Amino acid sequence: MALRGGTRFSVPFEAVFPHGAVFVPDSIAEAQDFDERTKQRTPAKDKVTGQRVWQCRVMDMDPELGARSREVSIKILSDVQPVPPVGPFQPVEFEGLTVTPYVASNGRLAFSYRATAMVAPKTLAETRGKAA
């Protein structure tokens, strides 16, 4: 089976962020597309769903990252701007998370993450209730 460039794979939030993620304050912005022909920027639209694209940054809380960069950019597909949690550096989770692997300009494997929503983390009781 051959995979086409831009193939999106659904992944559970816990598989990407097993130790959780924390929202970086003031990091939500509408993604922009750049038209080489007109040299103008326009609000980005998702090529698959047609929805507007928003970007935010989160910190991966994996302790094994040590001093390496923990910041990850997540694109959220939504017709309205997602509402971040109140307060600095609040935990968040993402619903409808997908990953698109690609080769970056430096020749290394990289990942693009997209989600359908940013939500407050589930409590342990909610997680256990879902499993029952």
Side-chain angles (χ1 to χ4, degrees):
M1 174 176 126
L3 296 176
R4 298 187 190 281
T7 300
R8 297 177 187 178
F9 299 95
S10 293
V11 291
F13 174 81
E14 298 79 15
V16 178
F17 299 103
H19 298 279
V22 173
F23 177 76
V24 175
D26 302 322
S27 70
I28 290 185
E30 189 169 27
Q32 298 286 306
D33 284 335
F34 182 72
D35 186 332
E36 287 288 336
R37 189 176 43 82
T38 64
K39 305 292 186 211
Q40 292 188 1
R41 293 188 180 278
T42 57
K45 297 267 186 173
D46 183 68
K47 291 175 179 70
V48 174
T49 66
Q51 289 183 291
R52 291 168 65 182
V53 180
W54 306 86
Q55 281 187 191
C56 74
R57 296 186 329 264
V58 296
M59 304 253 319
D60 186 336
M61 299 310 293
D62 186 345
E64 292 183 19
L65 290 175
R68 292 180 291 182
S69 176
R70 295 173 173 263
E71 197 168 290
V72 178
S73 177
I74 306 286
K75 293 179 180 171
I76 303 170
L77 311 180
S78 176
D79 292 327
V80 296
Q81 181 173 344
V83 178
V86 177
F89 298 101
Q90 292 295 312
V92 294
E93 290 185 4
F94 295 94
E95 293 179 343
L97 192 60
T98 63
V99 61
T100 304
Y102 66 97
V103 177
S105 58
N106 62 5
R108 290 187 169 178
L109 180 63
F111 302 97
S112 174
Y113 296 101
R114 290 178 185 258
T116 56
M118 175 174 40
V119 297
K122 296 171 188 68
T123 64
L124 185 56
E126 289 172 325
T127 303
R128 285 186 179 155
K130 191 176 188 180

